[in-house]
Amino acid sequence: MRPGTPGPLIRGLATFVAFVALLAAVRGAAAQSLAVPPNGIVCTTSADDSFALTATDGYISLPDGNSVYMWSFASGTGPFQHPGPVICVDQGDTVTITLSNTLSQPVSLIFPGQSDVLANGVPSQPQFSGATLTSLAPAAPTGGSVTYQFVANEPGTYLYESGTNPGVQVQMGLFGAIVVRPAGHPDWVYADASTAFDPAHEYLMLLSEIDPYLHMALERGQSYDMGQYRPRYFLINGRSFPDTIAPNGAAWLPDQPYGALAHIYPYDPVTNPLPALVRYVGVGSADFPFHPHGNHSRVVGRDGRPLRGDGGEDLSYEKFSLPIGPGQTWDVTFSWHDAENFSPSNPIPVTVPNQQNLFAGAYWSGSPYLGGTGTLPVGGEGYNQCGEYYHVAHNHALTQITSWGLTMSGMMTYTRIDPPEPNSCP
Amino acid sequence: MDQRLTRRGFLRLGLGAAAGGAGILLAPHTRDRLARRAEAASVLAQGASLRYHLAGTDGWISLPSASSSTYHPDGLAPAGLSTYMFGFADVTGLDAAQIQAMKNKCQAPAPLMYFDEGQGALVRLTNLGLAQRPDLTDAHTIHWHGFRNVIPMFDGEPSSSVSVPIGRSLDYYYRPREPGTYMFHCHVEDTEHVHMGMTGIVFVRPAQNGGAPGIPPGRYVFNDGVPPGDPRSTAYDREFAVLLTEVWNEAHWDDAHIQLPEWSDYRPDFFLLNGRVYPDTILPHGTPPGRPDLAYQPYSSLIRANAGERVLLRFANLGFLKQTMVLDGIRLRVVGKDAVLLRGRDGSDLSYQTSTISIGPGESVDAIFVAPEVVSGEATYLLYNRNLVGLSNNGEPGLGGQLTEVRIAPAGTLPPQSAPNQ
């Protein structure tokens, strides 16, 4: 602990208290089939696969107390949100996306990984003014709109982002994710049984960064020298830790609706045989070497294609560090196995020191055992609820788990592992 | 006289000098480590033996520079040294007084650790505090980066588990099930403690080393299931662990001077292999003759082999930048990444040949090369960072940084390797 950095703890406490409250509320309201689960991917779907995105501006909240001006895509006439809606469709769907632009610059949309994209009914092409490239796709002028259309032929995870002045506009926040599910198999990542996952445990990690001077300049209508670009904030799903572990739709983050807490159970061949799925999307200017603690991830797809050779070879692989590059998407499955089955009757071969001889972490249960609890220091955070385990998942370019001076923040979240059910977890 | 007693007395004598900032004569690299480890193993019951005992503390190292600036060399550094560090000291087998005397004597990088697949073992961490920063009461932990299915108790991430306050100790239990190359570091105040030097390599030897049907006992990177002559074999004759780290002078100076850096301004000045920069990388292990300033940077990165031998390079990167190591003139076969054999679930061989090893923060790479024939005498090849900025020491002209030599001798010249990196 260092002097001058109490922010995350206080913020984390608020986050967690609200998290518990919301979790309880969600459980209570389950009968009313709440659309947004407390964690996990939040899909925006459409019966006719038509979506409306509105380029607009607003502010997001960061854990050092700052508020940063952003451009982003709202869902139709909905409120400003960052990032844009997560568009989920099925393989083979004809997807129609109408972009309306309320910003002061023309804005367009590109769909990396999709083929034969139409803009207002004709092939979407780079735009030139004379010999000058002006946009990667037809753009909507201020107050105008463009309708894009493509057939989602290939399952996987994709990005949509502005193709106009993209160095500025994407950094300003004009991006979002697209998920294409294989036809008939919402529980597979690709049209391939080896990519099966548990749909109840599907997560999106949209990794981005912010240079606050760029955002300040655009807020003030000033120019900005991109040669001076230097990101200071590092986000998952538009939030910086500890906000990343707050639930989806947290009331105190009204414009940042997407959480990034992964919530799983230990692998069990009978009751929990399928892994979780994590869809990583890189929106930054360099690799984000993402390192989830607890277990390796199995990379089953990249950029919307399964890792299969032309001869059907299984090219998937396991890694403990996932270098998510600019514009890349990585589909990985993840599970945690209770390898040693430690319990009070199968104790760890270590004498745990008296609590006065240790520092207890905010999410520590007081017990080494899954589902166990123990004495915690009086006055500590004590966020643990039912002896669940937590494993951090974070960017290992460790300068990027900071928020412009605030340490232990930034591109970081947790995997929560609950004891097998039935358990005493709320 | 028993060497440990000699050492202990020496330590005591050195204490006063250390307080004055001159205690650089004691090498943390100890020749009797194996003997002490055997002794330590007998101390513990419960089946799991104490294999390593590390002490978290601070200290100083030497990074060469022709010029001086506000941040380098640090004006508070003891004579001959330049850079303030946090790190681990190897206190395996030492008694309480000897351990306490290691305060302010961390080494860079941490002691190399290795384990056998399936064998439960303990690593003890003692926090000795920071001599240069008595105001800073940071805890420490050991995070074995990449250890599968760990429980939080032994993961070392402080928020999800427990960490070790100054003056206290904690044992970490590991039963590694997956061979390969990993790394470890303190996870408290992660950005700071990792950058300040609390980093090391840990690797796991496969059960196949004891032999398997159709496979003789030997040295293998993984349980590859094929005999040594098979092109998919991971058999090797010699192994060298190479840890990549960086030093940003300003951040190190800040910690010594009760300041905080703005981490998003990160711009490293030194690029290290096993805690040293070229040309120090090719000096011998321990404290090289005439170089007492390297007493806390005990690891050479000189790679030596006989022609025809298979040489394993275990790379890990705990810097904050992606680097690309090049071995000019010799092809490498990458057989593993992140402690995983490059082979598909269906058996597809995913290993590949290359001369560049791109390795991002928190990644590991296992690569094997066959030492080429030599015409006469010793042949020298260079292993270096193709991100050529990483070949500068403190931004100055000349070759430095992440560069070392691979020296190949005629077949039969060198005796078998007695320990990793030897």
Side-chain angles (χ1 to χ4, degrees), chain A residues 118-418:
Chain A
L118 302 178
N120 290 336
V122 298
S124 181
Q125 293 285 306
Q127 302 294 297
F128 293 88
S129 174
T132 304
L133 177 64
T134 58
S135 178
L136 306 188
T142 301
S145 68
V146 175
T147 297
Y148 304 91
Q149 197 170 64
F150 59 87
V151 178
N153 282 317
E154 302 282 349
T157 307
Y158 301 90
L159 186 61
Y160 67 83
E161 58 189 340
S162 175
T164 306
N165 194 11
V168 168
Q169 291 194 2
V170 175
Q171 299 301 339
M172 285 299 291
L174 288 169
F175 56 80
I178 297 175
V179 169
V180 180
R181 302 186 186 284
H185 275 289
D187 54 342
W188 295 358
V189 194
Y190 294 95
D192 184 330
S194 74
T195 63
F197 67 96
D198 184 344
H201 299 282
E202 180 184 1
Y203 305 93
L204 174 70
M205 302 285 172
L206 189 60
L207 310 178
S208 66
E209 62 192 26
I210 287 174
D211 176 348
Y213 286 110
L214 166 63
H215 291 243
M216 188 176 71
L218 275 99
E219 182 180 21
R220 295 176 179 177
Q222 299 167 341
S223 63
Y224 182 78
D225 174 6
M226 285 302 288
Q228 301 300 310
Y229 179 77
R230 186 173 276 267
R232 311 286 186 176
Y233 293 106
F234 305 91
L235 313 180
I236 307 175
N237 298 342
R239 297 179 182 178
S240 174
F241 183 82
D243 296 336
T244 50
I245 62 169
N248 291 326
W252 62 99
L253 294 164
D255 301 324
Q256 296 152 274
Y258 302 137
L261 178 77
H263 191 163
I264 63 174
Y265 295 93
Y267 167 82
D268 182 278
V270 176
T271 62
N272 189 33
L274 290 172
L277 170 66
V278 190
R279 302 177 184 270
Y280 291 94
V281 183
V283 196
S285 58
D287 284 7
F288 296 125
F290 207 80
H291 173 56
H293 284 214
N295 199 359
H296 284 53
S297 303
R298 175 168 289 277
V299 186
V300 298
R302 285 280 311 276
D303 303 341
R305 296 295 182 275
L307 290 182
R308 283 273 182 199
D310 290 343
E313 306 93 327
D314 186 341
L315 305 182
S316 71
Y317 55 93
E318 293 182 297
K319 270 187 116 296
F320 57 57
S321 182
L322 305 167
I324 314 296
Q328 291 181 347
T329 70
W330 292 55
D331 297 315
V332 314
T333 56
F334 184 89
S335 59
W336 185 84
H337 299 235
D338 198 350
E340 299 285 351
N341 284 301
F342 287 129
S343 69
S345 59
N346 176 32
I348 58 172
V350 164
T351 303
V352 182
N354 180 288
Q355 61 151 310
Q356 268 74 25
N357 290 322
L358 293 171
F359 279 135
Y363 310 106
W364 172 242
S365 69
S367 164
Y369 307 118
L370 185 60
T373 53
T375 308
L376 290 172
V378 174
E381 294 98 332
Y383 297 156
N384 199 284
Q385 292 183 297
C386 54
E388 75 275 22
Y389 283 168
Y390 289 90
H391 276 305
V392 75
H394 64 97
N395 184 335
H396 222 282
L398 297 174
T399 53
Q400 300 180 344
I401 57 166
T402 66
S403 288
W404 210 5
L406 185 68
T407 57
M408 302 312 285
S409 181
M411 200 176 280
M412 185 163 115
T413 185
Y414 277 85
T415 304
R416 171 180 170 151
I417 304 162
D418 275 8

Side-chain angles (χ1 to χ4, degrees), chain B residues 64-68 72 269-270 391-400:
Chain B
S65 174
S67 62
S68 64
H72 187 90
D269 302 287
F270 289 96
L391 290 187
S392 169
N393 288 336
N394 210 20
E396 293 166 359
L399 287 166

Side-chain angles (χ1 to χ4, degrees), chain B residues 373-407:
Chain B
E373 294 302 319
V374 292
V375 179
S376 65
E378 239 182 17
T380 299
Y381 298 82
L382 296 177
L383 175 65
Y384 62 92
N385 188 347
R386 182 55 185 77
N387 172 9
L388 300 171
V389 175
L391 290 187
S392 169
N393 288 336
N394 210 20
E396 293 166 359
L399 287 166
Q402 286 170 331
L403 189 155
T404 189
E405 297 179 9
V406 176
R407 293 187 192 151

Side-chain angles (χ1 to χ4, degrees), chain A residues 81-99:
Chain A
Q81 68 167 68
H82 182 72
V86 182
I87 293 173
C88 297
V89 298
D90 292 329
Q91 181 181 11
D93 287 348
T94 297
V95 181
T96 305
I97 298 177
T98 300
L99 165 67

Side-chain angles (χ1 to χ4, degrees), chain A residues 1-3 5 194-195 230-232 234 287 289 291 293-296 298 300 308 312-323 335-340 342 348-353 356-365 367-369 389-392 394 396-399 401-408 412 414, chain B residues 46 48 122 133 136-139 143 145-155 157-166 168-173 175 177 181-183 185 187-192 194 255 259-260 262-267 318-320 322 337-340 343-346 348 350 360-364:
Chain A
M1 294 296 159
R2 307 190 61 116
T5 57
S194 74
T195 63
R230 186 173 276 267
R232 311 286 186 176
F234 305 91
D287 284 7
H291 173 56
H293 284 214
N295 199 359
H296 284 53
R298 175 168 289 277
V300 298
R308 283 273 182 199
E313 306 93 327
D314 186 341
L315 305 182
S316 71
Y317 55 93
E318 293 182 297
K319 270 187 116 296
F320 57 57
S321 182
L322 305 167
S335 59
W336 185 84
H337 299 235
D338 198 350
E340 299 285 351
F342 287 129
I348 58 172
V350 164
T351 303
V352 182
Q356 268 74 25
N357 290 322
L358 293 171
F359 279 135
Y363 310 106
W364 172 242
S365 69
S367 164
Y369 307 118
Y389 283 168
Y390 289 90
H391 276 305
V392 75
H394 64 97
H396 222 282
L398 297 174
T399 53
I401 57 166
T402 66
S403 288
W404 210 5
L406 185 68
T407 57
M408 302 312 285
M412 185 163 115
Y414 277 85
Chain B
Q46 296 187 321
L122 298 177
R133 287 294 303 275
L136 193 57
T137 55
D138 282 9
H143 167 60
H145 177 113
F147 193 96
R148 290 174 185 249
N149 301 308
V150 66
I151 64 170
M153 176 82 202
F154 302 129
D155 185 54
E157 194 279 303
S159 293
S160 63
S161 63
V162 295
S163 47
V164 185
I166 296 171
R168 312 300 204 278
S169 298
L170 178 67
D171 290 346
Y172 293 82
Y173 172 78
R175 177 154 48 171
R177 295 160 190 264
T181 302
Y182 302 79
M183 60 210 86
H185 58 86
H187 217 293
V188 174
E189 294 291 337
D190 207 14
T191 312
E192 176 191 23
V194 169
D255 246 318
Q259 302 292 316
L260 287 170
E262 168 48 52
W263 289 105
S264 62
D265 285 333
Y266 185 72
R267 195 172 197 285
L318 278 173
F320 297 165
K322 182 178 180 177
K337 287 186 179 180
D338 291 5
V340 174
R343 192 174 293 175
R345 279 178 290 190
D346 60 1
S348 299
L350 308 182
E363 289 186 295
S364 78

Side-chain angles (χ1 to χ4, degrees), chain B residues 7 10-11 23-29 101-102 105 287 295-296:
Chain B
R7 189 156 183 260
F10 187 67
L11 277 163
I24 65 164
L25 293 174
L26 176 72
H29 189 71
M102 293 302 282
K105 290 183 170 58
T287 306
Y296 301 104

Side-chain angles (χ1 to χ4, degrees), chain A residues 13-26:
Chain A
L13 180 62
T15 295
F16 200 81
V17 167
F19 167 66
V20 172
L22 191 122
L23 201 63
V26 169

